[in-house]
Amino acid sequence: MSGKVRDYQQLAKDILEAVGGEENVIGATRCATRLRLVLKRSNPKAKEQVASMPGVITVVENGGQFQVVIGQHVGEVYEKFAGLVKLDTSDEAGGNKGTVLNRVIATMSAVFAPFIYILAAAGILQGALILINLVFPSFAKTGTYQVFSFISWASFTFLPIFIAMTASKHFKTNMYIAVACCAALVSPTWADMAAQIATGKSITFLGMALSKTTYTSSVLPPLFLVWILSYLEKFLNKRMNEVIKPLFVPFLCMVIMVPLTILVIGPITTAGANGIASGYNFLAEHVPALAGAIIGGFWQVVVIFGVHWGITPMVLANFDLHGRDSFQAYQTIAVIAQVGAVLGVILKTKNQEVRKVSVSAGVTGLFGITEPAIYGVTLKFKKPFIFGCISGAIGAIVASFFNPYYFAYAGLPGPLTVVNGISAEYPMSIWGILIGVAIAVILPVVLIQIFGYGEDTAKKADNEKQEQGGADLQVNSLQNNEETVAAPFIGKVIPLSEVPDAVFSSGAMGQGVAIEPSGNKVYAPFDGTVVMVAPTKHAIGMRSQSGVELLVHVGLDTVTLAGKPFTLHVKDGDKIKKGDLLSSFDKEFIQNRGLQTITPVIITNSHAYKEVIVEDVKNSTLDQELFTVVK
């Protein structure tokens, strides 16, 4: 449930508690939008619980990870989460590491995510220089250009050092030793030696011939170096005397790992990365329309499962080998297609809450981050996501006829990086990208206006009911920018702050009250739609005709009862009228299990309204007004 949250410490605590506490967490990393956890044991109920927290967009379990999609504030949540856990570094931590592919993807995410914004910023600077040179050709001869140019390339030149820092944390080895080894790989001296070897000169190390491979901008050589280093350092630490260990462990690691990388690891891994890049390039050059259709149409599907980091080595290899890459050109069109789908929803919807969420997600998408758009809007309503994928595929197919390339790496491909497709050597590249982008923006907007975005039919039916039945009390109040919400059952009203559950009492879930029910039935508090029924039947989410979202959570910790004491009378998507029976429950069963029946009644989208007035009542009846919502 997406929503505003500023108490990152509390959110981190809530997530940690939901996934089973510190003892169940093996690893924690983050990417641009996700908190990625590796757990010893997976609890199916945790996914639902965490996904319902304010500030959390959704939860995805994939790649052996419990991925909490948070969005732009993931850094703050990760920082607080990391302060709460002491991760298990033992080899015996019996976690579910998943398949080899899943572990590779998890590693790529952990390594690249912390500095992806640095690469993205450098890519934007390169794009800006391309634009300036296009308008003022003489600028390229100035010292100002040279300074900005080497700034924009520095992060790529010394990429192995960034990898050393993040990979050492992921593989749990000494960061400074890792940096020292990887710094040697980008030493200007080695670059000179490799250049001499490339001209035909033979240079040997202990009688073994060295290769001409260079490691600036490389990905796999430093990554494998640090991985193997983690085992070597652990081996030495276990067997070396404590007195000499601080000096001789780094000494032996450097004199072993750097030559080993130059002789074996570097050439093999570089050949592997280049081979994958060559395979993609063969497809892109010989069947470009197919390459465009696949990337433009399915890239955002890959993003859903959080496995998109796995492509980074191939893309960087393309830039290193050829100085250009078509994958990111198609990728940009796929990203912009989802932004176009969000724009289509903004133009189509009459629901202010949907529009507000869509605008926020669309702005984030301008920076190449589409998770908020996907989980908050397009995938939520399904049609926009499908239209976005179709538009991305068509846009990329059309662009493929113009040989589109990126000539500067974009950490987060999107609208701001389109200029990276400008090149005098390939003048049609940028035109292909721009045409593809135009299709990606316009086509989903048109499709959504014609076919709707997923809620139009329901809203049309609501409007017809209002026209046929006249304006009732609820509609009259809406005309005055107010809506009243009645109590869902009879009972004693308790201030939310007194609920013995921090998730509710803190107000993080939204404003509301709690009721100690005197009966065992839950009734609809307004006319609207059921939008969520928990698989364990203990909670029901509703949305009124005007967009007020209400959560009725029967009891505390009742999710642990697996639905046994609950009987549902509605399902997701059902239309409800005020007073309709929604569910019934066995109070004695709940209490006999040592749980409380105190029921939080929460307006989960409180932040969308000017004011939520909680009525001063001690006991509720079915006609009792609990809240007045002011737009």
Side-chain angles (χ1 to χ4, degrees):
M1 177 183 62
S2 181
K4 290 186 178 179
V5 62
R6 290 294 179 267
D7 192 347
Y8 305 118
Q9 182 73 30
Q10 186 61 52
L11 179 56
K13 287 182 180 178
D14 293 341
I15 293 173
L16 181 60
E17 181 180 351
V19 298
E22 179 181 351
E23 64 276 6
N24 195 41
V25 179
I26 297 174
T29 57
R30 54 153 292 199
C31 62
T33 58
R34 307 180 189 211
L35 174 65
R36 295 169 177 260
L37 308 179
V38 179
L39 306 177
K40 293 180 183 179
R41 299 172 301 280
S42 177
N43 182 354
K45 299 174 184 175
K47 181 176 180 180
E48 173 200 342
Q49 188 175 350
V50 175
S52 69
M53 294 178 183
V56 174
I57 297 172
T58 191
V59 173
V60 177
E61 290 187 272
N62 193 66
Q65 294 181 333
F66 187 89
Q67 303 173 14
V68 186
V69 184
I70 294 172
Q72 60 182 336
H73 297 295
V74 67
E76 292 93 331
V77 178
Y78 172 73
E79 181 182 348
K80 301 300 182 184
F81 190 92
L84 297 174
V85 296
K86 182 178 180 181
L87 301 179
D88 188 351
T89 59
S90 68
D91 293 333
E92 294 76 29
N96 176 21
K97 296 182 178 179
T99 65
V100 172
L101 177 60
N102 288 342
R103 292 165 67 182
V104 168
I105 292 169
T107 297
M108 290 298 175
S109 171
V111 169
F112 288 102
F115 58 80
I116 191 65
Y117 285 113
I118 303 299
L119 300 185
I124 289 174
L125 179 55
Q126 290 179 13
L129 293 177
I130 290 173
L131 274 181
I132 295 172
N133 286 334
L134 193 65
V135 180
F136 305 104
S138 60
F139 179 71
K141 300 178 181 178
T142 66
T144 302
Y145 168 80
Q146 292 177 338
V147 169
F148 281 130
S149 180
F150 78 68
I151 291 174
S152 72
W153 283 106
S155 1
F156 298 101
T157 300
F158 298 102
L159 184 60
I161 295 178
F162 285 93
I163 292 174
M165 297 170 69
T166 54
S168 61
K169 184 175 181 180
H170 180 70
F171 293 122
K172 300 179 178 62
T173 190
N174 187 295
M175 179 189 296
Y176 300 102
I177 298 176
V179 168
C181 293
C182 290
L185 296 182
V186 294
S187 166
T189 302
W190 171 248
D192 290 341
M193 293 172 64
Q196 294 177 41
I197 296 171
T199 61
K201 182 178 180 180
S202 176
I203 302 178
T204 63
F205 175 81
L206 299 179
M208 293 175 282
L210 296 173
S211 73
K212 61 182 179 180
T213 307
T214 57
Y215 301 101
T216 55
S217 304
S218 64
V219 172
L220 295 185
L223 187 58
F224 275 82
L225 183 157
V226 178
W227 176 48
I228 296 172
L229 170 65
S230 67
Y231 291 98
L232 175 61
E233 184 193 3
K234 190 178 296 183
F235 175 84
L236 295 174
N237 278 328
K238 287 181 178 179
R239 290 162 177 79
M240 195 165 289
N241 185 280
E242 292 294 331
V243 177
I244 63 174
K245 184 186 297 184
L247 175 62
F248 282 92
V249 167
F251 168 75
L252 291 174
C253 285
M254 287 190 293
V255 300
I256 293 173
M257 288 309 306
V258 175
L260 180 63
T261 301
I262 293 174
L263 287 167
V264 181
I265 298 173
I268 292 176
T269 56
T270 298
N274 292 347
I276 295 172
S278 297
Y280 163 74
N281 291 335
F282 179 85
L283 176 66
E285 291 171 7
H286 291 81
V287 197
L290 178 60
I294 293 173
I295 300 166
F298 294 100
W299 176 250
Q300 294 303 302
V301 177
V302 174
V303 171
I304 290 176
F305 295 103
V307 297
H308 46 299
W309 297 101
I311 204 67
T312 303
M314 184 204 78
V315 171
L316 287 169
N318 263 341
F319 282 106
D320 188 43
L321 283 172
H322 310 293
R324 66 181 188 274
D325 170 67
S326 64
F327 192 99
Q328 287 204 319
Y330 297 132
Q331 187 181 348
T332 296
I333 295 171
V335 168
I336 292 176
Q338 289 300 314
V339 177
V342 171
L343 178 59
V345 173
I346 292 172
L347 295 176
K348 182 70 172 178
T349 186
K350 293 184 171 49
N351 185 308
Q352 292 302 315
E353 174 65 12
V354 172
R355 180 175 286 114
K356 182 180 292 186
V357 172
S358 299
V359 169
S360 175
V363 170
T364 307
L366 294 178
F367 296 93
I369 302 173
T370 54
E371 279 92 339
I374 293 173
Y375 295 116
V377 184
T378 62
L379 192 61
K380 175 181 178 181
F381 297 120
K382 297 183 178 63
K383 281 185 181 180
F385 182 78
I386 295 171
F387 292 154
C389 290
I390 292 172
S391 302
I394 294 173
I397 289 172
V398 173
S400 69
F401 293 102
F402 296 83
N403 293 321
Y405 291 106
Y406 262 26
F407 301 93
Y409 178 82
L412 297 169
L416 296 182
T417 64
V418 169
V419 295
N420 291 14
I422 297 175
S423 170
E425 187 177 352
Y426 294 86
M428 297 306 294
S429 170
I430 185 61
W431 290 110
I433 295 173
L434 289 175
I435 293 172
V437 164
I439 294 172
V441 171
I442 297 171
L443 185 56
V445 172
V446 173
L447 292 174
I448 289 171
Q449 304 317 298
I450 296 174
F451 299 105
Y453 68 92
E455 283 205 338
D456 301 329
T457 303
K459 290 192 176 297
K460 183 178 180 181
D462 288 341
N463 291 335
E464 289 174 352
K465 282 183 181 180
Q466 291 176 15
E467 290 173 3
Q468 294 169 2
D472 58 15
L473 177 60
Q474 183 179 10
V475 175
N476 283 332
S477 64
L478 287 176
Q479 292 174 349
N480 295 320
N481 292 322
E482 292 184 0
E483 179 176 357
T484 58
V485 178
F489 48 72
I490 301 170
K492 180 183 178 182
V493 179
I494 302 169
L496 196 62
S497 59
E498 296 180 11
V499 175
D501 187 317
V503 173
F504 297 108
S505 62
S506 66
M509 290 284 290
Q511 298 184 52
V513 298
I515 301 176
E516 178 63 64
S518 58
N520 67 339
K521 291 180 171 59
V522 180
Y523 297 91
F526 47 54
D527 296 352
T529 307
V530 176
V531 295
M532 186 279 294
V533 175
T536 47
K537 306 178 184 177
H538 70 290
I540 297 177
M542 296 157 273
R543 183 186 296 117
S544 74
Q545 292 178 359
S546 73
V548 175
E549 296 180 358
L550 190 77
L551 173 70
V552 178
H553 189 288
V554 181
L556 301 179
D557 296 324
T558 46
V559 66
T560 60
L561 301 178
K564 293 179 181 178
F566 301 99
T567 301
L568 292 175
H569 302 281
V570 292
K571 61 182 182 300
D572 283 357
D574 280 358
K575 297 297 176 184
I576 54 175
K577 297 288 289 182
K578 183 178 178 181
D580 286 352
L581 179 62
L582 303 180
S583 72
S584 53
F585 53 93
D586 187 336
K587 286 180 62 177
E588 290 186 4
F589 183 97
I590 296 172
Q591 292 166 344
N592 289 341
R593 295 300 189 277
L595 301 177
Q596 301 185 56
T597 55
I598 295 175
T599 299
V601 181
I602 309 292
I603 296 180
T604 55
N605 61 341
S606 304
H607 62 276
Y609 296 96
K610 182 178 180 181
E611 187 177 9
V612 175
I613 301 171
V614 179
E615 303 296 341
D616 185 16
V617 293
K618 301 299 182 184
N619 295 282
S620 65
T621 65
L622 292 182
D623 293 325
Q624 177 69 56
E625 294 179 1
L626 281 185
F627 313 110
T628 299
V629 179
V630 182
K631 288 191 174 183

